[in-house]
Amino acid sequence: MLRVGGLTPLSTSDWPGMLAAVVFCQGCPWRCGYCHNPGLIPARGDNEIPWEDVLAFLRRRQGLLDGVVFSGGEPTSQAGLPDAMREVRALGFKIGLHTGGMYPQRLAAVLPLVDWVGLDVKAPFADYPRVTGVAGSGERAHAGLLEVVASGVAHEVRTTVHPALLADAEVVGLAHDLAARGVTHYVIQAFRSQGCQDADLCGNATRERPLQDAGRELAGLFGAFSVRA
């Protein structure tokens, strides 16, 4: 049974171009300092929503929503994710997934059930631990990226940019690496302090130049590219 830490009844931003409900899955193995959903990091939450209640809500939204996004936390950390996706698809909804790619084998197993993936790539893969706080996280994220690209499932790769964690030159280098690995849709997005519990990151987010300036160096690398400042 899926452990659900939250539910957004309607979103137009979590799956671009789609009207979607968002199911926030409880639990994440990484400890990113800028996490905007820190309450979802523990394996169990204080205010979990029973999965049957989520299904009951979705039944009332049949014909009104395009799809359902499984977000987190990290959805693939839960063994119940594939069955949950099948139940939602049986109701007639398309399936979106937000993931960091840290469980590549589990990710590969659910990709046949998914219509779209929003994949967070947090840094150059060798530098992942400074963002996630977990040794070996870059290797796992890289493997997850390769699974998504090879699957042919529609996807968007995005990177959150905090100036204390990622210099502009590193963002540019990462973008070139992603393009070389077959990524065609890339988004860089500015750090937002909402939900972040790291006082140093919240107080040290001033950029030397607008993120859009770095973005101008990347636009020609991808079929689709955007900056969310």
Side-chain angles (χ1 to χ4, degrees):
M1 192 69 69
L2 201 69
R3 303 186 307 279
V4 178
L7 175 66
T8 296
L10 175 64
S11 171
T12 59
S13 60
D14 287 273
W15 186 346
M18 303 286 280
L19 297 177
V22 185
V23 175
F24 291 94
C25 301
Q26 190 73 38
C28 182
W30 291 349
R31 299 296 182 266
C32 303
Y34 54 59
C35 180
H36 63 279
N37 281 325
L40 295 173
I41 292 176
R44 300 307 304 251
D46 295 331
N47 300 294
E48 292 182 17
I49 302 171
W51 177 240
E52 286 302 323
D53 289 358
V54 175
L55 289 177
F57 163 78
L58 292 176
R59 292 186 187 103
R60 297 193 298 271
R61 292 298 185 272
Q62 287 176 288
L64 302 175
L65 295 173
D66 300 315
V68 175
V69 176
F70 290 84
S71 188
E74 172 51 48
T76 61
S77 68
Q78 294 197 39
L81 180 65
D83 285 343
M85 287 181 166
R86 292 186 186 98
E87 289 183 279
V88 171
R89 184 172 287 283
L91 294 176
F93 296 103
K94 294 182 178 180
I95 304 295
L97 173 66
H98 290 173
T99 180
M102 65 276 282
Y103 295 104
Q105 291 182 326
R106 295 182 186 180
L107 177 57
V110 299
L111 283 172
L113 305 172
V114 172
D115 298 288
W116 175 85
V117 177
L119 178 67
D120 291 314
V121 173
K122 300 177 180 296
F125 296 108
D127 298 324
Y128 252 63
R130 78 178 183 216
V131 177
T132 66
V134 177
S137 51
E139 291 85 348
R140 296 172 69 178
H142 177 243
L145 170 70
L146 295 181
E147 292 289 353
V148 170
V149 172
S151 73
V153 174
H155 59 275
E156 170 187 281
V157 175
R158 58 271 185 102
T159 299
T160 297
V161 181
H162 189 293
L165 295 174
L166 278 180
D168 286 358
E170 292 176 304
V171 176
V172 172
L174 173 59
H176 280 272
D177 183 41
L178 294 173
R181 297 179 190 279
V183 172
T184 59
H185 189 173
Y186 188 45
V187 175
I188 56 174
Q189 53 195 20
F191 161 80
R192 297 182 183 276
S193 61
Q194 182 179 1
C196 176
Q197 296 184 337
D198 188 311
D200 289 338
L201 291 181
C202 289
N204 186 28
T206 302
R207 296 186 52 81
E208 294 184 359
R209 62 172 182 160
L211 189 60
Q212 290 91 333
D213 287 357
R216 292 190 185 97
E217 302 176 39
L218 309 179
L221 293 175
F222 304 96
F225 172 77
S226 60
V227 178
R228 296 173 186 157

